[in-house]
Amino acid sequence: MEKLKNYINGRWVESAADQASSVVNPATQEVLGHVPMGIGTAKDLDEAVKSAHDAYLEWRNVPVMQRVQPLYKLKVLLEQNQEEISRIITLECGKTIVESRAELQRAIENVETACATPTLIQSEFSENIARGVDEFMIRQPLGVCVCIAPFNFPGMIPFWFLPYAIACGNSFILKPSEKVPLTMMKVFELMENIGLPDGLVNLVHGGKETVDAMLEHPKVKAVSFVGSTNIARYIYSKGAANGKRVQAQGGAKNPVVIMPDADLDVTANIIADSVYGCAGQRCLAASNIITVGDTNGRIKESVFEAAKKKVTGFGLDESVEMGPVISSQSKSRVEMLIDQGIAEGGNLLLDGRGYQVSGYQKGNFIAPTILEGLPLGGELVKTEIFGPVMSLLPMQDIEQAISFINANNYGNMACVFTSSGASARKFRNEADAGNIGINIGVAAPMAQFPFSGWNESFFGDLHGQGRHGIEFFTQTKVVIERWPREWTRKF
Ligand code: NAD
């Protein structure tokens, strides 16, 4: 099978790579394509940067009202092709078709929000800071911006950055995850028809070599990364050491607190959706379910029932509610972590290991799993599992819950279920996480808001999406201005 092509300077071109890795359907193990990998990908990246830089020099002078016109066309094309793109997401990533459609909807919302750039990019003006002297700030683009994306939202995550970057006058290079490159290849095919100049948006495949070439290239000005914490830390430190602006979103271990006054029937279903949606491969998946006071005994059965009835299988089957995990390595890792939980003293209430789906025997399926009785000082309550595993952790009160949450290294999301305004307020005020849910299971910010990870879930200052996107993809310039006719004294 041929290697997948890169999209550079407005054309689909062969990679100079000498190696390749396979794109594999996680439900069937069918090979869907071969991604260029290895040393030659650095040469590909260099070519992409050259064309992106040339395109930027022209594009930065195009009025912002004109720069957003292609985004309106892109929105329509994404909507018209939503079903086809969603199918590609499901085929290469494994999630259900319903989840893929919802993912793409979030991508479209980011395009819509970036269409407001003419307003969002407006800046500040102070008249008469001294007699006859005015001062103002303008926002100018940075140049070539790059994005390194993870596997779990192949259709959405590049859109946290791409539309804002180009609307602000930058050019853009995307490196999709080597596990799921086909979704954005389809989107880039659509982007050939929206009126962007050649070289403005580029797609370069690869892995570490491509990423290192991005971090080292002097013409790359900004790096947007989403992925696991260790790699986020690496990208942030190497990018910053090379003088680049970096936003690096990392991993997570998300707690949800259930107070005794919560509506437990509704809560049980919401929690099961949060833990098992996308087979637990969401950076906002709930993982540690903290049951306060007598809640554990009262909710355990309904959580168990909600988990048990989830239909696991091939994502294109509309009746399926949970797909496979991304790879056989990932399946082994998650099952090993379940073993570790048991070894730490956990009691397996529901065991999803070794789950077989009829007709898809080779799929990387793990059914919903529930552990309880894990030691609070153990490793499993701290480790990002990234699979369909729930840990039930009884605690005495909200104070204990918040101090347990704040002792964790991550800080992507924390949620509370309660009918008490006082508990909700205390929680949102004191929990150390950047995305808070009050009676919400997946506190995913809409496109107008920043995707606000904290602690080891984020390295940088400005997050993806919304106004943060505009600020990240522009640099401020302050002008102090006096005109001779306004001079009030002679020099
Ligand atoms: P990953 O870190 O393995 O890969 C992410 C990207 O980094 C890929 O494009 C990959 O090619 C590249 N990469 C991998 N190893 C590298 C290396 N050694 N040097 C340079 N680049 C490297 O992450 P993943 O498995 O694709 O995604 C899952 C992770 O992403 C989870 O930890 C999840 O929590 C996190 N995530 C976070 C958010 C968020 O907003 N915080 C959103 C989605 C996913």
Side-chain angles (χ1 to χ4, degrees):
M1 206 185 269
E2 276 183 16
K3 287 205 260 317
L4 299 174
K5 289 192 172 144
N6 291 320
Y7 185 73
I8 297 175
N9 204 19
R11 280 177 294 281
W12 291 98
V13 292
E14 299 283 349
S15 163
D18 52 341
Q19 296 164 34
S21 79
S22 302
V23 185
V24 178
N25 178 335
T28 61
Q29 309 303 338
E30 183 195 351
V31 174
L32 305 172
H34 292 287
V35 185
M37 297 287 281
I39 304 292
T41 56
K43 189 165 171 285
D44 300 340
L45 189 270
D46 191 53
E47 270 177 40
V49 174
K50 275 194 200 108
S51 68
H53 188 254
D54 289 349
Y56 155 72
L57 293 177
E58 289 292 322
W59 184 248
R60 68 190 298 276
N61 294 318
V62 173
V64 63
M65 284 302 285
Q66 287 175 31
R67 291 201 304 247
V68 296
Q69 295 310 313
L71 295 179
Y72 287 99
K73 293 185 188 144
L74 181 57
K75 166 183 156 63
V76 173
L77 286 177
L78 289 173
E79 284 168 348
Q80 286 171 348
N81 291 272
Q82 188 156 9
E83 200 54 27
E84 187 184 346
I85 302 169
S86 301
R87 285 178 66 87
I88 300 174
I89 295 174
T90 294
L91 287 177
E92 65 178 354
C93 181
K95 63 181 64 174
T96 70
I97 187 71
V98 174
E99 289 168 340
S100 298
R101 290 178 191 132
E103 164 176 355
L104 206 62
Q105 186 54 38
R106 287 289 171 119
I108 292 168
E109 287 160 11
N110 273 285
V111 176
E112 290 167 347
T113 303
C115 285
T117 301
T119 304
L120 294 172
I121 206 169
Q122 283 180 325
S123 214
E124 296 154 22
F125 192 107
S126 291
E127 193 181 34
N128 280 333
I129 51 154
R131 197 171 287 267
V133 180
D134 302 329
E135 180 165 350
F136 56 97
M137 188 182 86
I138 50 183
R139 290 194 170 275
Q140 295 194 328
L142 306 169
V144 179
C145 301
V146 302
C147 169
I148 302 149
F151 81 80
N152 64 334
F153 283 91
M156 174 183 76
I157 286 177
F159 280 97
W160 289 352
F161 314 108
L162 185 151
Y164 304 98
I166 63 174
C168 288
N170 304 282
S171 55
F172 197 80
I173 304 174
L174 169 68
K175 190 207 83 63
S177 162
E178 63 278 22
K179 296 183 181 122
V180 292
L182 303 174
T183 303
M184 285 311 286
M185 287 184 77
K186 174 66 195 171
V187 170
F188 270 65
E189 278 171 24
L190 298 177
M191 282 201 290
E192 288 185 87
N193 305 311
I194 61 174
L196 291 175
D198 290 347
L200 196 79
V201 293
N202 304 271
L203 183 152
V204 178
H205 294 290
K208 180 169 170 52
E209 286 81 0
T210 315
V211 172
D212 283 339
M214 287 171 153
L215 297 173
E216 284 159 14
H217 202 298
K219 284 210 159 63
V220 169
K221 296 297 173 196
V223 180
S224 303
F225 171 87
V226 182
S228 55
T229 286
N230 282 345
I231 310 296
R233 189 186 291 107
Y234 169 75
I235 303 271
Y236 185 69
S237 25
K238 184 162 177 165
N242 287 335
K244 304 189 190 317
R245 185 176 284 206
V246 186
Q247 47 183 193
Q249 306 193 193
K253 179 76 178 177
N254 300 307
V256 172
V257 178
I258 310 176
M259 298 298 291
D261 56 15
D263 178 337
L264 296 189
D265 289 337
V266 178
T267 303
N269 283 311
I270 297 177
I271 282 173
D273 287 346
S274 177
V275 175
Y276 304 119
C278 300
Q281 299 172 119
R282 265 196 298 225
C283 67
L284 295 179
S287 179
N288 283 335
I289 307 302
I290 300 169
T291 48
V292 171
D294 66 352
T295 312
N296 205 56
R298 290 164 53 221
I299 200 171
K300 195 157 73 175
E301 204 175 311
S302 25
V303 167
F304 178 87
E305 290 305 325
K308 203 166 166 231
K309 71 173 195 240
K310 291 254 169 242
V311 182
T312 303
F314 179 40
L316 285 187
D317 176 346
E318 294 268 353
S319 65
V320 160
E321 295 170 290
M322 196 175 89
V325 295
I326 187 70
S327 62
S328 53
Q329 294 88 327
S330 175
K331 177 177 155 82
S332 309
R333 178 184 163 274
V334 173
E335 292 187 337
M336 198 197 69
L337 285 169
I338 298 170
D339 293 343
Q340 183 183 336
I342 297 165
E344 283 184 10
N347 172 30
L348 200 53
L349 281 183
L350 186 60
D351 185 2
R353 292 172 298 175
Y355 189 76
Q356 288 286 315
V357 175
S358 163
Y360 298 94
Q361 273 77 4
K362 292 186 187 159
N364 312 319
F365 296 104
I366 306 170
T369 297
I370 304 178
L371 281 158
E372 70 169 352
L374 289 168
L376 296 185
E379 281 306 308
L380 205 70
V381 298
K382 297 182 203 155
T383 307
E384 180 178 38
I385 299 176
F386 227 54
V389 182
M390 174 190 301
S391 306
L392 285 173
L393 306 176
M395 292 192 198
Q396 281 159 15
D397 48 33
I398 195 166
E399 282 78 17
Q400 190 191 1
I402 291 173
S403 59
F404 171 78
I405 290 169
N406 293 354
N408 191 275
N409 290 343
Y410 295 110
N412 221 28
M413 178 186 90
C415 301
V416 67
F417 283 78
T418 181
S419 56
S420 153
S423 298
R425 187 179 189 285
K426 179 180 175 64
F427 189 82
R428 77 165 149 78
N429 182 251
E430 294 179 19
D432 278 350
N435 300 296
I436 298 288
I438 310 285
N439 297 315
I440 296 285
V442 181
M446 296 294 286
Q448 307 92 299
F449 290 91
F451 199 101
S452 273
W454 277 18
N455 303 333
E456 299 219 323
S457 296
F458 181 70
F459 300 86
D461 309 287
L462 294 164
H463 299 81
Q465 299 200 141
R467 206 175 282 278
H468 273 218
I470 305 295
E471 290 180 24
F472 182 79
F473 289 114
T474 53
Q475 51 196 337
T476 53
K477 185 180 267 181
V478 171
V479 181
I480 305 176
E481 192 172 272
R482 170 163 54 196
W483 292 94
R485 200 187 292 188
E486 303 297 328
W487 283 4
T488 50
R489 66 186 172 93
K490 298 269 180 258
F491 291 92

